Amino acid sequence: MPISLFLDARTTGPKLPHMLHALGHLARQWPGGYELLLVDDTDNESLASLAQQYHATLVTSTAPTLGERLNTAVAASQGRVLLFPGSVGQPLSVWLGQRLATVEGEREWDVAVLLARPQRPMVRWFRWLQRASPLDTFWVARTWFERIGGCDPQLDSEALPDLLERLRACQARVSIETA
């Protein structure tokens, strides 16, 4: 299974059905397979049927932080590439289509980040020097995720930006992009 997609029920909130639908539709077009994992710490009984409807694996977690919930979901996954979508829309579809071509072959990156909003080149460069936004989409090679010990389990909304910062510090090849 080359790609694992992760959605957190708590942070996705009311956008969850839309994101499940959009990601499921998008992922069915990918060659090589995918798995969609939905992390739930809400005890919302309707999530089981929602996950089943979109062929997602429901991963139950009692963890209070996003970092710990994502680590639990990654441990339950099989993908060689881990995708943490920040938002779903046309820019994400185009960007993922470009990334998919490099999943099986030789990649020039270990981590790819799609910025939440397109920006002018100078603003992108300045943002590259700073921390990423939790709304950005993160695409991480599993080997690198495991090498640095995953997300910091103490962090909530900053878990993914912190992951990116630690990956950079460990010399992972990072590509910051806009669609």
Side-chain angles (χ1 to χ4, degrees), residues 48-64:
S49 63
L50 191 62
Q52 184 177 15
Q53 178 182 352
Y54 291 104
H55 308 287
T57 301
L58 186 62
V59 178
T60 303
S61 172
T62 58

Side-chain angles (χ1 to χ4, degrees), residues 13 72 95 159:
T72 300
W95 184 73

Side-chain angles (χ1 to χ4, degrees), residues 3 21 25 28 33 39 45 50 55 65 77 87 109 131 133 138 147 151-152 162 172 179:
I3 302 170
H21 176 75
H25 176 71
R28 281 191 295 277
V39 187
E45 294 178 11
L50 191 62
H55 308 287
T65 64
S77 71
S87 62
W109 52 271
R131 294 175 63 96
S133 162
F138 296 83
R147 186 177 296 165
C151 292
D152 184 333
D162 175 75

Side-chain angles (χ1 to χ4, degrees), residues 38-119:
L38 174 58
V39 187
D40 174 34
D41 73 327
T42 65
D43 290 327
N44 184 336
E45 294 178 11
S46 66
L47 287 181
S49 63
L50 191 62
Q52 184 177 15
Q53 178 182 352
Y54 291 104
H55 308 287
T57 301
L58 186 62
V59 178
T60 303
S61 172
T62 58
T65 64
L66 177 62
E68 193 171 349
R69 290 192 303 271
L70 291 178
N71 288 340
T72 300
V74 169
S77 71
Q78 300 174 27
R80 291 189 311 249
V81 177
L82 312 174
L83 177 63
F84 304 98
S87 62
V88 176
Q90 184 62 25
L92 179 64
S93 300
V94 171
W95 184 73
L96 288 176
Q98 295 166 350
R99 292 292 121 240
L100 285 173
T102 63
V103 169
E104 296 297 330
E106 187 65 29
R107 289 189 312 264
E108 295 179 3
W109 52 271
D110 301 308
V111 180
V113 179
L114 175 65
L115 299 177
R117 291 180 212 114
Q119 299 171 334

